[in-house]
Structure formats: structure tokens, C-alpha cells
């Protein structure tokens, strides 16, 4: 392995998958902001946050954490005036995030005419401007590689101190303390150590991780954090348990303390998850064994909460449901 790649030094073990908590995240409102004027020029911070709209997509939306008053003022002064659509997310009475979309025509022109110290970093970060493969829905197998910042030669980008401070302060306030960027045209090889963008971020971010497509070697995501990354290991008890029948109901352990109860009575064989006519998600009580679960006494998961699972897992459940239906038919 390359000398600028290092292994995990911290491992986190979990005996059970934690129950997902949607309580605090559910109460918020979006508030549109009206900004009267456009700035006469474009700073390095503004160029950094307008690159997505200028190069990648006209509908590219940026969200910048804005809980810190200094950062909020910087966003509203240097960055937000370049966008026609500016909204702030208010949660529990405080501004949480400012969302920016629809780059103004004059700002698009400014982006192309302005040379700042961040431009070479952006040109390296987005080596091409085609994002179609990122939204194709193709399943990937991802390998994580942790970067050793000390093994990279620092990249000095002039006049980017304000941008660095913004990134350090704004994203350190997030619950997980992580900030992610999606490079385009990066491949995991020895030459990547010379990347201007990777070296730039390594100059002020203590922990960096590359998420790499195992089959193609393409770098899908660059994760950055002020906290050390940990390798999370689920012990055997945290793994989803085998499906279990109780009378006419089939119980499916989905992980994260979520159990689906599927009523098989009157159900026809299905080809996909959506064809199940009677299914309900329930919370598995804290400390309860899946073998003791009973949907009649369990707490239902609210209907407005959705879950995402990989297609292979869902298909295996569908196959098992069809097998159970076949067994019921033969018994009758």
C-alpha cells in the first residue's frame, strides 16, 4: 500500500444496531431570503461554493452550516449574493443551514473571469464535469482508505484563509463533524498524492478518508473530519436475525431496531417489495430479543419515516416471503 495511506487506529464495537432517532430532525422550516444586491467581485470562498453551479449543473444546490454567527455573516456577504434562490433552514428557532441555488448570470460571468488561489484546487477537484455516473443508480462496492496528511506535500493556495476558516468552523458544528466533497476524475493510485485539492485539504484538515469503487478504482467521495475516523464493527448479535413466522405474520429484522411485520394471509406471491399489501414497520424495544418480538404489543414506526436498503437484501427477503407463501399453500 502507498506510504501516504494509513490504517485505522480506532475501532468501535457495537453489540446491537442503534435505533434510529428522528425526533430532533423532524421539526424545521425553510425560509426564503431576499438579498438586494450582487457583490462587485468574487472571492476565493465564493468561487469555491459557486463551482458546482458554474461547472456541474445549473440546479446544483449547496447547503452550508450556518449556526455560527460569523460564518452566517460571511455567507450572506460573500457567497449568497451570487445566487437567485437563497433559503435558510430554521430548526428550534435557530438558523441551521443556508441553502444556495440558481447562480446569477452576472456571477457565472464573474466565475469565469476571476482568478483566485482556489481555482487550481477546483480544477483538480473537478477534473471533468460529467456527473451522470453519480446518479445512475449502479450499485458499487466501496473500500475506505485513510490518508496520512503528514505524508503529503502541502499545497499553498494564496488568499484562501477565509475559506479555510469557514470550512473548519462551519462543519465542526455538525453532529458527526464530517465534511464531504465529491471529486470527479480521481482514481486511487500513487499519482493521487500529488493532487492539488487533496494536498490543500490535508493542510488544515486533520483526518481524511477516500471512498473508492473497488471495481474501477474511482474515488467516489473524499471525507474530512476534525475527529479521528473509526472502523465500526458490529458483533454477531447486531446482525439482522433470520426471518420468523408467528401465525399469519412474518417478522423481518431490518436492523437499527426496526422490524417489519408482514401479514401473509391473503397475500399473493410478489416480485418486489412494493407488491406486499399488508406490511408495517415497528420498533424493537430496547434490550428485547428479536425472538420475543410481537407486533401486537410493539410501537409502530410513524408512517412519514422511510428507510433505504440495498436491492440484494430486499430481493432476498422477497424470495423468502414467496417461499413462506408456497409453504402455506402446500399446508392448506
Amino acid at each position: 500500500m502507498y506510504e501516504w495511506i494509513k490504517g485505522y487506529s480506532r475501532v468501535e464495537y457495537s453489540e446491537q444496531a442503534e435505533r434510529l432517532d428522528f425526533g430532533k430532525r423532524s421539526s424545521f422550516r425553510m425560509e426564503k431570503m431576499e438579498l438586494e444586491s450582487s457583490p462587485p467581485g468574487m472571492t476565493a470562498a465564493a468561487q469555491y461554493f459557486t463551482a458546482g453551479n458554474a461547472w456541474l449543473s445549473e440546479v446544483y444546490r449547496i447547503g452550508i452550516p450556518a449556526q455560527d454567527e460569523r460564518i452566517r455573516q460571511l455567507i450572506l456577504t460573500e457567497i449568497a449574493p451570487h445566487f437567485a434562490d437563497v433559503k435558510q433552514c430554521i430548526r428550534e428557532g435557530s438558523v441551521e443551514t443556508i441553502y444556495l441555488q440558481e447562480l446569477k448570470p452576472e456571477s457565472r460571468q464573474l466565475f469565469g473571469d476571476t482568478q483566485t488561489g482556489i481555482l487550481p484546487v477546483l480544477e483538480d477537484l473537478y477534473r471533468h464535469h460529467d456527473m451522470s455516473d453519480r446518479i445512475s443508480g449502479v450499485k458499487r462496492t466501496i473500500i475506505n482508505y485513510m490518508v496520512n496528511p503528514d505524508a503529503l506535500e502541502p499545497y499553498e493556495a494564496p488568499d484562501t484563509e477565509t475559506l479555510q476558516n469557514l470550512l473548519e468552523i462551519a462543519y465542526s458544528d455538525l453532529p458527526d463533524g464530517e465534511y464531504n466533497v465529491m471529486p470527479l476524475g480521481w482514481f486511487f493510485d500513487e499519482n493521487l498524492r500529488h493532487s492539488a485539492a487533496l494536498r490543500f485539504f490535508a493542510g488544515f484538515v486533520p483526518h481524511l478518508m477516500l471512498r473508492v469503487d473497488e471495481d474501477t478504482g474511482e474515488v467516489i467521495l473524499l471525507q474530512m473530519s476534525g475527529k479521528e475516523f473509526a472502523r465500526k464493527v458490529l458483533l454477531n448479535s447486531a446482525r439482522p436475525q433470520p426471518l420468523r413466522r408467528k401465525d399469519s405474520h412474518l417478522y423481518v429484522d431490518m436492523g437499527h431496531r426496526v422490524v417489519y411485520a408482514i401479514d401473509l394471509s391473503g397475500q399473493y406471491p410478489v416480485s418486489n417489495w412494493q407488491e406486499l399489501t399488508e406490511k408495517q414497520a415497528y420498533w424493537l424495544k430496547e434490550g428485547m430479543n428479536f425472538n420475543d418480538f410481537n407486533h401486537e404489543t410493539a410501537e409502530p414506526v410513524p408512517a412519514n419515516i422511510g428507510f433505504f436498503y440495498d436491492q440484494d437484501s430486499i430481493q432476498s427477503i422477497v424470495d423468502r416471503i414467496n417461499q413462506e407463501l408456497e409453504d402455506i399453500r402446500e399446508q392448506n
Side-chain angles (χ1 to χ4, degrees), residues 26 109 116 139 165 192 198 280-281:
S26 59
Q109 183 66 40
T116 71
K139 182 181 177 182
N165 289 335
L192 194 58
L198 185 61
Q280 171 66 51

Side-chain angles (χ1 to χ4, degrees), residues 41-50 78-79 111 114-119 122 157-164 200:
M42 181 167 286
T43 65
Q47 194 165 47
Y48 178 85
F49 285 104
T50 54
E78 292 192 16
I79 305 170
F111 181 92
T114 303
Q115 295 288 323
T116 71
I118 201 63
L119 189 58
L122 294 172
D159 303 319
T160 58
E161 294 82 2
T162 298
L163 172 61
Q164 293 182 32
F200 169 73

